[in-house]
Amino acid sequence: MMHVSTTVSEWLERRAALGGRLIGVVPTMGALHHGHASLVERCRRENDVVVVTLFVNPTQFNDPADLKRYPRTMDADLDLLDLLGTDEVFAPEATALYPNGYVFKVVAESLTREMEGRHRPGFFDGVMTVVLKLLNVIRADRAYFGEKDFQQWKVLHAMAADLFVPTEIIRCPTVRAANGLAASSRNALLSAEGWERAAVIYRSLTTASSADEARAVLEDAGLRVDYVEEHWGRRFAAAYLEGIRLIDNVPLENSECSSVST
Ligand code: AMP
């Protein structure tokens, strides 16, 4: 039976009982979709115990309106996680993870200056801080992250290596709808028409011959573009549609074989 812990001490008791079994964790902010499910499925295949964390981390939101409207679907999330064979859920309140407020934070001198880091000040500090807390609390052998947030994976992978975090940081391919749109919790905030229009992000990333051309395609489609940039052999975009900020990235050579779901 899946067990839900809401405090650190409750989880640590559960953790102590797991002994030396192989433990995988999938950190999420809830509002689960096919993308999260693919991470949980992989975690299920590769570990004895599957832990999923559900926590909308306030310190990574630089826009209070974005935090307020972030979708929260706890009951549906727990049903899905149960179906996927999750053993343990850790769903703390903010005060459980930040008992003394936001006093200590992880800050990086590289990797975080461009793209998400430049356009969302403080975002990576919040992400690195909360993930380090979660990795220290969960004490898993492996943690699973999605390529949809490739820069985030890159930053967390480097952080874990540099701080000698014993958990292996694993990256998983991006799950997309049939129209190419990357699954995202924020997609739920789009209208049906907006959801169709958002397919232009993947299309522009994969078909344009340059980052500038992809930006022009997005702007012609009526999106407000934060950036289109190329790093690490990939092309990245962040743009607003119906006031919702969406991000995606693809490898530059045609070698992506990401899963497709509807
Ligand atoms: P989030 O709940 O948005 O913080 O995402 C939790 C984890 O799921 C992160 O590692 C994301 O990169 C990953 N994820 C989100 N969307 C997708 C997707 N469409 N495909 C694969 N992984 C995803």
Side-chain angles (χ1 to χ4, degrees), residues 39 84-85 132 162 249:
L39 270 54
L84 293 170
L132 186 60
D162 198 63
N249 71 92

Side-chain angles (χ1 to χ4, degrees), residues 78-260:
L78 294 178
D79 288 347
L80 175 65
L81 292 177
D82 204 13
L83 274 176
L84 293 170
T86 305
D87 301 296
E88 299 284 342
V89 175
F90 180 54
E93 293 292 332
T95 47
L97 276 192
Y98 295 93
N100 305 308
Y102 191 27
V103 181
F104 297 96
K105 52 179 90 168
V106 182
V107 179
E109 291 295 334
S110 70
L111 294 176
T112 55
R113 297 253 164 99
E114 60 273 283
M115 300 197 289
E116 292 303 287
R118 185 150 61 85
H119 290 269
R120 302 180 68 190
F123 167 71
F124 279 123
D125 300 357
V127 168
M128 289 186 292
T129 303
V130 80
V131 169
L132 186 60
K133 282 172 183 270
L134 288 169
L135 294 176
N136 282 338
V137 168
I138 303 297
R139 288 191 243 141
D141 298 283
R142 304 189 176 110
Y144 295 81
F145 295 90
E147 285 182 352
K148 194 220 151 218
D149 303 281
F150 190 91
Q151 188 183 11
Q152 171 175 283
W153 169 79
K154 187 104 181 149
V155 165
L156 294 174
H157 187 262
M159 176 195 79
D162 198 63
L163 300 182
F164 304 103
V165 174
T167 308
E168 188 185 351
I169 306 296
I170 293 177
R171 79 188 230 208
C172 305
T174 301
V175 174
R176 304 179 178 284
N179 70 355
L181 177 63
S184 165
S185 303
R186 287 188 175 85
N187 294 352
L189 302 171
L190 295 170
S191 69
E193 190 213 336
W195 189 89
E196 296 291 348
R197 284 177 58 211
V200 70
I201 299 174
Y202 180 67
R203 205 163 57 242
S204 70
L205 286 174
T206 49
T207 60
S209 57
S210 68
D212 284 349
E213 189 185 314
R215 170 185 274 272
V217 171
L218 291 171
E219 286 175 349
D220 284 351
L223 279 69
R224 181 158 68 80
V225 177
D226 252 359
Y227 61 81
V228 179
E229 291 180 28
E230 293 173 0
H231 302 271
W232 315 305
R234 302 179 82 89
R235 182 177 290 159
F236 296 78
Y240 287 87
L241 177 64
E242 297 181 338
I244 307 304
R245 191 171 184 279
L246 302 170
I247 65 170
D248 201 354
N249 71 92
V250 300
L252 278 172
E253 69 285 3
N254 277 335
S255 63
E256 189 181 55
C257 43
S258 56
S259 338
V260 169

